[in-house]
Amino acid sequence: MMKTKVLETIKRFEMISQGETVVVGVSGGADSVSLLHILCSIREDMKISVVAAHLNHMLRGEQADSDERFVKGLCGLYKVRCFSEKADCAALAKKAGEGIEECARRLRYDFFDRVARANNASHTATAHNANDNFETLLLNITRGSSLKGIGAIPPKRGNIIRPLIECSREEIEQYCRSNNLNFVLDSTNSCNIYSRNKVRNKVIPILTSINPNAVYAASRLCRLAREDEELLTKMSEALFEKARIREGEFDLVKLREAEKPIRARLFSAVIEKMTDKSPGNEHTINAVENVLSGKGKTQLQKNLFAELKEDRLVFSRGDKAEKLGEIQPESAEFCITTDLFRIKSTRYNGKINDLLMKNLIDYDTICGKLTLRGRKQGDKITLPKRNVTKTLKKLFNEERIDEKIRDLIPVLADEHGVVWVFGIGTDLKNAANEKSTNVIRVEGENIC
């Protein structure tokens, strides 16, 4: 019985205690309706108060307004206080430069948090289920996620609880039928323009045809990954205490004695603490590892540096660097953020044309390792269209680049010299052509 499973989940993960107030995110779909129904059915026994929160994202016109009215009516039926709000998600996403899904999630959780604080609620319950968890796992795998990402959706994170996380969508819909619960359908769920919908509607049916219990198997994998991640995190916290000398400074010997996965979690935690931002990708962590192996000082993020000082690894905030340090990407595809610029490399399989050519590199022409660095004395480049060789010093003069940032302009180089320069293009010897079969596209943007 699904209700029993939900109660066991609540107990096992210590989600709700007697006497608490719980906010329930209610969209009106089968998941949130069944969650609201179950929590209302136990509120007297557990002496809890239930409050509902519904955010109208204004993405589906009248259908979204109809969903809002449905939720308000449902809450009236269950004698639950309902807080609702409208947010023009499309306009706000455009203004913030976010994707609509990303923006909707941020607005939703901000709203839940405000409702929780206004009602002194201990927790906010969302209706994520085992299928949602499976979808998140698959999406994270396609992004090359770390072990933490393989953990997908945790049953509990901070004040957010997910009592349905071990229930499949099939179980939830059966629960609604058995209890005569009405719910609304989101028409966008069948639209495969969103990545999650493609996974839900196309990928998961294929996987469940191979293993009918794939949803539960995925839940088991995620649980095991979370357990492993929790252990590794505890080990990194122990290393932090052991190796820490003072704020941002760590004993070099003790760090080198530790395993790389443990160090990586320590570095990530330090960077996040100092910048309020996750490192984002493995390149930042690899940059710290390069410093640890004796390669001087490097810039990790805007105004954050890592360097060796005698027997210590030091993380420090500072003003903009006077010169761009050396960073070696781990592969042909990378995204590296410096103090002023973001450089991204991706595989390119399209046609070679004049408009793109200056940013296309024939990767088979790279000698040795590719390095992102600042300019060096004597650096020169041959531009394909002009077929003339010039020093970067002369080119920067011609382009009237501010002298203060010339040593911060990103340069990609290999053992033979300059390969590509931000704002200038690719050297003739490395330029892709119609015969190239291993091409990368390098793009740069100014982030200041």
Side-chain angles (χ1 to χ4, degrees), residues 403-446:
E403 290 185 15
K404 295 178 182 177
I405 69 167
R406 291 184 183 184
D407 288 334
L408 292 169
I409 298 293
V411 175
L412 280 173
D414 64 5
E415 293 179 8
H416 287 163
V418 173
V419 172
W420 174 91
V421 182
F422 176 84
I424 304 296
T426 305
D427 188 272
L428 178 62
K429 70 180 183 305
N430 305 107
N433 56 50
E434 295 79 3
K435 296 181 180 179
S436 302
T437 58
N438 186 10
V439 179
I440 61 172
R441 179 178 180 178
V442 182
E443 299 172 282
E445 63 174 324
N446 192 317

Side-chain angles (χ1 to χ4, degrees), residues 24 26 31-41 50-52 71 74-75 78 80:
V24 185
V26 185
D31 305 336
S32 60
V33 167
S34 61
L35 175 60
L36 182 64
H37 185 267
I38 290 172
L39 292 182
C40 284
S41 73
V50 177
V51 175
V71 171
L74 184 68
C75 290
Y78 291 167
V80 169

Side-chain angles (χ1 to χ4, degrees), residues 151-377:
I153 304 175
K156 184 177 180 181
R157 177 184 286 154
N159 71 326
I160 303 296
I161 58 174
R162 300 173 173 108
L164 303 186
I165 198 65
E166 296 179 310
C167 302
S168 70
R169 190 164 288 132
E170 184 179 349
E171 286 179 283
I172 291 167
E173 291 175 356
Q174 178 58 48
Y175 180 86
C176 289
R177 287 192 293 271
S178 299
N179 290 276
N180 297 314
L181 302 179
N182 294 321
F183 55 87
V184 299
L185 295 173
D186 185 342
S187 60
T188 63
N189 286 341
S190 61
C191 183
N192 289 331
I193 62 172
Y194 300 114
S195 298
R196 182 172 290 273
N197 287 1
K198 289 178 184 176
V199 170
R200 177 183 301 153
N201 299 326
K202 294 185 174 183
V203 179
I204 288 181
I206 293 173
L207 294 177
T208 51
S209 71
I210 298 170
N211 176 9
N213 292 314
V215 172
Y216 301 111
S219 293
R220 183 171 63 252
L221 169 62
C222 294
R223 175 176 55 79
L224 294 172
R226 286 194 296 269
E227 290 173 0
D228 289 352
E229 178 63 26
E230 183 178 347
L231 174 61
L232 291 169
T233 299
K234 287 180 179 178
M235 293 172 71
S236 75
E237 289 169 351
L239 176 62
F240 180 95
E241 295 300 325
K242 178 182 175 182
R244 182 178 181 272
I245 298 171
R246 60 180 66 87
E247 186 72 23
E249 296 188 17
F250 298 87
D251 184 292
L252 201 57
V253 174
K254 290 174 181 175
L255 287 178
R256 287 173 174 167
E257 287 174 348
E259 297 295 334
K260 185 177 178 181
I262 309 303
R263 287 199 304 265
R265 285 162 175 79
L266 184 152
F267 297 155
S268 181
V270 170
I271 293 168
E272 188 164 356
K273 183 179 179 182
M274 295 183 74
T275 64
D276 290 327
K277 287 184 356 183
S278 168
N281 56 55
E282 65 178 334
H283 303 301
T284 304
I285 302 302
N286 288 336
V288 183
E289 285 287 336
N290 284 338
V291 172
L292 196 66
S293 64
K295 295 182 181 177
K297 181 178 181 178
T298 193
Q299 185 173 359
L300 304 175
Q301 292 183 7
K302 188 173 183 178
N303 297 339
L304 181 65
F305 303 86
E307 64 181 313
L308 294 185
K309 288 187 177 179
E310 298 176 350
D311 57 351
R312 294 164 293 146
L313 174 66
V314 179
F315 293 88
S316 62
R317 299 183 186 89
D319 295 327
K320 293 174 181 176
E322 295 178 358
K323 188 174 181 65
L324 181 63
E326 294 193 3
I327 305 169
Q328 286 190 337
E330 290 293 305
S331 66
E333 294 186 276
F334 60 84
C335 181
I336 297 173
T337 301
T338 72
D339 198 35
L340 299 176
F341 306 96
R342 181 176 292 112
I343 309 301
K344 183 178 181 180
S345 167
T346 54
R347 295 284 182 185
Y348 182 77
N349 298 311
K351 292 183 178 180
I352 310 295
N353 60 55
D354 290 344
L355 291 175
L356 293 173
M357 192 169 66
K358 78 171 190 175
N359 289 322
L360 298 180
I361 296 173
D362 185 336
Y363 200 73
D364 289 333
T365 66
I366 301 301
C367 180
K369 284 194 173 182
L370 199 61
T371 300
L372 183 72
R373 59 170 174 80
R375 65 172 179 168
K376 292 183 178 181
Q377 187 174 0

